[in-house]
Amino acid sequence: MVFAPLLAAPVLMWLASWVERRLGPAVGGAVAAMPFAITLIVVALGAEGPAVAESAAAHVVAQVAFAVAFARVIVRRGSLLGVAAAAVAFAAVSLLVALVPAWVAIACAVPALLAKIKVPGTSRFEGEPLDARVGAGVVTAIVGCALVVAEVSGPELAGIVAAFPTLSATFALLVARSRGVAAAASALGGLIVGLRGYLAFCVVVAVTGSVVLGLLAVAAMNVTAAWSLRLHVTSADRGRAELA
């Protein structure tokens, strides 16, 4: 069971890349935010899983800060400064999260998830398809790191490691390289929409201890996410989807 997350986690990166080619960066970003890796971590850790889920839920607000900072800086200053600003934003909000009860941080995530990212004016994103191999390696590493941290330092710190949006950051950087910074900002906007399902999963698992109920909560939340994301799919991406 311990090796299952390491073997299965890269699937999410490949899926996000496949979706991005057909429906655009925003939808790909939402897929990258799906609670796939955290699900595998929770299952692998057994009895400690709900505590990890609670810690991850408390840091969703930090993930939103990450996405907003990344999107705002990348379109003005480029990828390197964008990811640096995002990491600083995540760390700063995480320090604030540590000062309050988990339920307060989770409650703050609800309005934060209504944030929208304005994409620089463009109706289509051109460029080469994404190479998912790098992202697959990164998500494998982060899942493995979370499992090790849980073993050494406990579930709370493991939840923080699992919540850090390494996969989404890698996905955004790959999009920026292949499609440009405007497309990367669109992917980060999709990330915020996708985090709604992530938060629902973590909260349900933390409260009930049931991964199955958590996945049902994700499915229900993704109905509303799909409606939000259809507005972000560019005309060119719709054309590719219809031809696929």
Side-chain angles (χ1 to χ4, degrees):
M1 180 63 74
V2 173
F3 292 103
L6 300 179
L7 296 174
V11 173
L12 182 58
M13 187 67 197
W14 291 100
L15 177 61
S17 300
W18 181 82
V19 170
E20 190 277 336
R21 287 197 300 271
R22 285 155 178 79
L23 296 176
V27 185
V31 171
M34 288 178 63
F36 189 72
I38 188 69
T39 299
L40 295 169
I41 292 168
V42 167
V43 171
L45 293 178
E48 290 188 325
V52 173
E54 180 182 5
S55 179
H59 287 81
V60 166
V61 65
Q63 293 191 57
V64 175
F66 178 97
V68 172
F70 201 162
R72 288 187 175 178
V73 176
I74 194 173
V75 296
R76 294 175 174 85
R77 303 294 182 181
S79 298
L80 184 61
L81 288 179
V83 74
V88 170
F90 183 91
V93 176
S94 293
L95 289 175
L96 295 176
V97 167
L99 301 177
V100 300
W103 69 267
V104 174
I106 293 170
C108 290
V110 175
L113 287 171
L114 299 177
K116 297 184 182 300
I117 291 176
K118 180 178 290 187
V119 179
T122 180
S123 60
R124 54 190 296 165
F125 301 115
E126 301 291 350
E128 297 296 324
L130 272 64
D131 185 347
R133 290 174 293 181
V134 174
V138 169
V139 73
T140 301
I142 195 63
V143 171
C145 182
L147 293 173
V148 172
V149 169
E151 184 69 24
V152 174
S153 303
E156 183 175 353
L157 187 56
I160 299 174
V161 173
F164 187 81
T166 306
L167 172 61
S168 296
T170 304
F171 181 77
L173 290 172
L174 291 174
V175 170
R177 182 177 180 181
S178 299
R179 305 272 202 121
V181 294
S186 179
L188 291 162
L191 163 64
I192 294 177
V193 176
L195 283 174
R196 299 172 188 175
Y198 182 99
L199 178 64
F201 172 84
C202 291
V203 170
V204 170
V205 172
V207 172
T208 68
S210 172
V211 171
V212 173
L213 290 178
L215 293 175
L216 290 175
V218 173
M221 191 62 67
N222 282 346
V223 171
T224 59
W227 175 258
S228 298
L229 286 170
R230 71 183 294 272
L231 302 176
H232 296 280
V233 178
T234 68
S235 56
D237 292 323
R238 285 195 185 97
R240 284 201 304 272
E242 291 171 358
L243 294 173

